[in-house]
Amino acid sequence: LARLAKRGGFAPPVAPRLLTREETAGMLGITPENFLMLERRGNIRIPRRKIGRHIRYLNLRVLEFILDGAGDPPEAPEDFETSSKNMP
């Protein structure tokens, strides 16, 4: 009901499941290496669980990250030039 009140709709029926880093990166459409780098930089903040030596991510949290727009690429800085004059 909290999601209904917050977003005005029901969440899709998805069974909770723990994902590996590779599976999580696949859901985000990036390589596991890029996922690790972005996570270390703090660009991706998905809660994780440590099970023994393994790190797992709850698929529902990954979906929330995607649906909340947190997975959108960052805006380019204002001084970023998009012209091709600086390109070789």
Side-chain angles (χ1 to χ4, degrees), residues 2-86:
R3 181 174 171 89
L4 179 61
K6 183 177 176 184
R7 299 218 169 101
F10 287 104
V14 177
R17 182 172 166 261
L18 292 175
L19 305 173
T20 64
R21 179 174 286 130
E22 291 77 16
E23 292 171 320
T24 304
M27 284 183 71
L28 297 172
I30 58 176
T31 65
E33 294 79 17
N34 282 340
F35 175 74
L36 182 60
M37 178 191 65
L38 292 169
E39 185 181 40
R40 285 181 177 165
R41 287 184 180 174
N43 296 94
I44 294 179
R45 294 189 181 113
I46 300 173
R48 56 189 185 166
R49 296 181 183 184
K50 190 165 184 179
I51 302 173
R53 297 182 303 141
H54 305 283
I55 295 174
R56 297 291 185 255
Y57 304 86
L58 188 62
N59 64 341
L60 299 176
R61 299 295 170 254
V62 177
L63 287 173
E64 283 179 6
F65 179 80
I66 294 168
L67 294 175
D68 286 344
D72 294 340
E75 296 283 328
E78 289 183 17
D79 61 343
F80 182 75
E81 294 185 25
T82 56
S83 66
S84 59
K85 67 180 180 181
N86 294 334

